[in-house]
Amino acid sequence: MAKTKTIYTCQNCGAQSPKWLGKCSNCNEWNTYVEEIVEKKQSTGKLSVQISGNQPITLENIEMARTQRISVGIEEFNRVLGGGIVPGSLILLGGDPGIGKSTLALQLALGLNGKKILYISGEESLQQIKLRAERLSNAKSNCLFLSETSLEHIIAQGEQAKPELLIIDSIQTISTELIESSPGSVGQVRECTSAILKFAKKNHVAVVLIGHITKEGSLAGPKVLEHMVDTVLQFEGDTNYMYRILRSNKNRFGSTNELGIFEMRSDGLREITNPSEQLISKVNVDVSGTAIAATVEGVRPFLIEIQALVSSAAYGTPQRSSTGFDLRRLNMLLAVLEKRAGFKLIAKDVFLNIAGGLKINDPATDLAVICSILSSNIDIAINHKICFAGEVGLTGEIRAVSRIEQRIAEAAKLGFSRIYVPTLNKGFDVSKFKIDIVKVSRVEEVFKTIFA
């Protein structure tokens, strides 16, 4: 097959070169040249073109066919997608190496009974896939498997098999004969994704693409890759812990506020339907330095345990360390404690940890963070039946937080006796919750109540 003519284009300034250059001679930027296909079209010499094909129509004349989503056997996956997979959609699933992307995709393929699934792997042989399927205790499935890296062969097999769902692991291993660059390059990823997108829309086949990520944490390949697909899912977590979180960064057919929580086990991924019970310590003994925060990830409330350790600095410069919590926000909260509450922590080492290996960005955890720090500093334990929800401002005020009723309901459901919430959160009926709700407006009020 004859090679298609290609040219290298700088993605920064648009300069072109017949060969790859490490540094652009026009804008002096490094590693910006990307291989692109050159398509020469013969000019007819006429400005007028005969109108043919699809015609523009109004919204009232567009016929809507009721689309039935494909409900997979993993409810957490369904929740993140907004109710299931939309036929003809293109889903990109990214995550760190070894986080469980292939395991999740294989469980997805094996769990869809009554559907025709084509699973294509460019990273594993068929024997390796079978070994993983046997480990998942679900090797008896009608799913079709293929080990292939050629885009042309994948499209041909898809046209022949006519599956309802196509899974490709991964897009970085697929290559087309139209481009000479190696698999995984920017040009290869862009052209292969474009061809798969056309196949999905033409044949009304849902496609799940597994993508690698860079050391910075972004998806490998051109940024246009995320624009081309319909849904971008991020599978994240700490490989040293067993919990995994599935987030939606982009979703054309649903909300991006949902998330799914899984537990990695020897027999695959298990759904966590009640994460609060899993993330809170079962030890009913009060220990200094721990506090429970009522947080919300997306639209899902759950409780997490925050652990703090404050000790005298052994060296001249005190250490500030945080796991699962923004270190800059921790430094800000420590400054608020020094300036507004009068606690001297300038000569103290402060270590903060979110139990379970989770990463939390919810500002409503601020109140629990400062309470855990002070609990460790004065070595007085907080009652394990108390939880907190509130954002701390620079002036020491407790600011209002979103979805306060959901946070209170989750705490009451798990048997907590008291929850501290901001005074500024109004408009909800306190009497309908079977929990003592204490409203506070300043950090000093919380400290006087808890550590009196």
Side-chain angles (χ1 to χ4, degrees):
M1 181 178 179
K3 295 291 183 182
T4 303
K5 184 179 179 181
T6 60
I7 195 170
Y8 293 87
T9 304
C10 176
Q11 299 297 291
N12 188 49
C13 66
Q16 294 183 334
S17 171
K19 62 180 181 179
W20 184 83
L21 298 176
K23 183 179 181 181
C24 178
S25 57
N26 187 38
C27 63
N28 295 324
E29 294 292 334
W30 286 90
N31 299 322
T32 57
Y33 275 89
V34 175
E35 187 179 24
E36 294 182 348
I37 297 176
V38 177
E39 295 182 357
K40 291 185 177 180
K41 296 183 179 180
Q42 294 182 353
S43 176
T44 60
K46 299 179 180 180
L47 294 177
S48 61
V49 180
Q50 185 178 0
I51 298 177
S52 60
N54 295 330
Q55 303 295 321
I57 57 177
T58 61
L59 286 173
E60 291 78 7
N61 295 326
I62 298 177
E63 296 182 1
M64 286 294 294
R66 188 173 180 82
T67 303
Q68 185 68 32
R69 289 177 181 255
I70 302 175
S71 179
V72 302
I74 306 174
E75 288 304 319
E76 294 291 299
F77 198 89
N78 283 336
R79 177 188 288 109
V80 175
L81 290 179
I85 300 176
V86 176
S89 63
L90 192 60
I91 300 171
L92 178 63
L93 174 63
D96 290 321
I99 204 68
K101 302 185 298 296
S102 299
T103 301
L104 178 61
L106 186 56
Q107 283 188 226
L108 180 69
L110 297 177
L112 275 171
N113 297 323
K115 303 290 184 180
K116 194 169 186 179
I117 315 297
L118 178 58
Y119 186 102
I120 298 176
S121 176
E123 299 180 347
E124 297 176 294
S125 65
L126 295 179
Q127 291 76 16
Q128 292 173 323
I129 296 175
K130 186 174 182 180
L131 286 174
R132 280 203 299 120
E134 291 175 347
R135 179 172 60 86
L136 299 177
S137 303
N138 195 359
K140 297 180 180 179
S141 173
N142 295 326
C143 177
L144 302 175
F145 293 91
L146 175 66
S147 181
E148 184 59 70
T149 58
S150 172
L151 174 68
E152 288 73 20
H153 293 168
I154 290 173
I155 298 297
Q157 289 292 337
E159 296 279 1
Q160 180 180 354
K162 293 181 171 54
E164 296 177 71
L165 176 63
L166 173 64
I167 300 176
I168 299 178
D169 182 14
S170 64
I171 187 61
Q172 275 77 17
T173 62
I174 309 302
S175 62
T176 175
E177 298 177 357
L178 299 177
I179 297 181
E180 295 183 357
S181 58
S182 60
S185 63
V186 173
Q188 285 282 7
V189 171
R190 184 182 61 246
E191 294 300 326
C192 291
T193 305
S194 178
I196 294 171
L197 176 64
K198 293 177 182 177
F199 166 80
K201 302 303 180 183
K202 175 184 176 183
N203 297 278
H204 209 54
V205 176
V207 180
V208 176
L209 298 177
I210 296 180
H212 299 166
I213 66 170
T214 62
K215 59 184 180 180
E216 290 83 13
S218 59
L219 285 163
K223 190 65 177 178
V224 71
L225 174 64
E226 299 179 45
H227 293 286
M228 294 170 67
V229 300
D230 298 307
T231 305
V232 178
L233 301 180
Q234 188 77 15
F235 202 42
E236 60 187 36
D238 194 332
T239 55
N240 296 320
Y241 293 89
M242 52 186 164
Y243 298 112
R244 305 287 187 268
I245 293 180
L246 182 67
R247 302 179 188 270
S248 175
N249 296 334
K250 172 188 176 182
N251 191 356
R252 288 176 178 162
F253 309 110
S255 172
T256 57
N257 293 326
E258 293 287 356
L259 83 161
I261 301 179
F262 300 86
E263 179 186 5
M264 177 62 79
R265 305 173 63 176
S266 59
D267 57 347
L269 291 163
R270 184 177 69 90
E271 300 175 74
I272 303 296
T273 55
N274 192 348
S276 299
E277 293 183 349
Q278 303 290 331
L279 298 174
I280 296 178
S281 176
K282 302 298 189 298
V283 181
N284 294 325
V285 178
D286 296 337
V287 181
S288 64
T290 63
I292 306 299
T295 184
V296 171
E297 282 290 329
V299 295
R300 190 175 188 178
F302 57 91
L303 304 184
I304 58 172
E305 181 179 331
I306 297 178
Q307 301 173 342
L309 177 62
V310 180
S311 62
S312 300
Y315 304 99
T317 304
Q319 299 183 61
R320 302 285 188 262
S321 178
S322 175
T323 303
F325 191 80
D326 187 8
L327 183 59
R328 291 174 297 181
R329 191 163 190 86
L330 173 61
N331 290 328
M332 183 201 77
L333 294 176
L334 293 175
V336 171
L337 289 177
E338 291 248 5
K339 182 72 173 179
R340 305 299 178 186
F343 291 93
K344 302 302 180 182
L345 300 172
I346 192 171
K348 302 281 189 177
D349 290 336
V350 180
F351 305 93
L352 190 73
N353 176 53
I354 306 297
L358 298 180
K359 294 180 180 179
I360 300 298
N361 297 317
D362 185 9
T365 58
D366 289 352
L367 190 55
V369 168
I370 61 174
C371 287
S372 65
I373 292 173
L374 291 182
S375 172
S376 176
N377 184 45
I378 62 180
D379 201 21
I380 297 179
I382 300 174
N383 192 317
H384 64 275
K385 290 296 183 179
I386 296 177
C387 61
F388 305 88
E391 178 184 355
V392 177
L394 290 178
T395 60
E397 82 279 13
I398 309 298
R399 302 176 61 86
V401 296
S402 62
R403 304 184 186 277
I404 188 63
E405 293 187 64
Q406 290 180 277
R407 301 174 195 264
I408 298 173
E410 183 71 13
K413 184 178 70 174
L414 293 175
F416 280 80
S417 60
R418 183 184 301 172
I419 181 172
Y420 287 83
V421 299
T423 305
L424 295 176
N425 274 112
K426 303 176 181 179
F428 64 94
D429 186 8
V430 177
S431 60
K432 70 178 182 179
F433 299 105
K434 296 181 179 180
I435 185 175
D436 182 20
I437 301 175
V438 181
K439 294 186 177 182
V440 290
S441 59
R442 303 281 305 176
V443 292
E444 299 92 329
E445 296 180 35
V446 184
F447 303 152
K448 291 177 181 179
T449 306
I450 297 177
F451 305 115

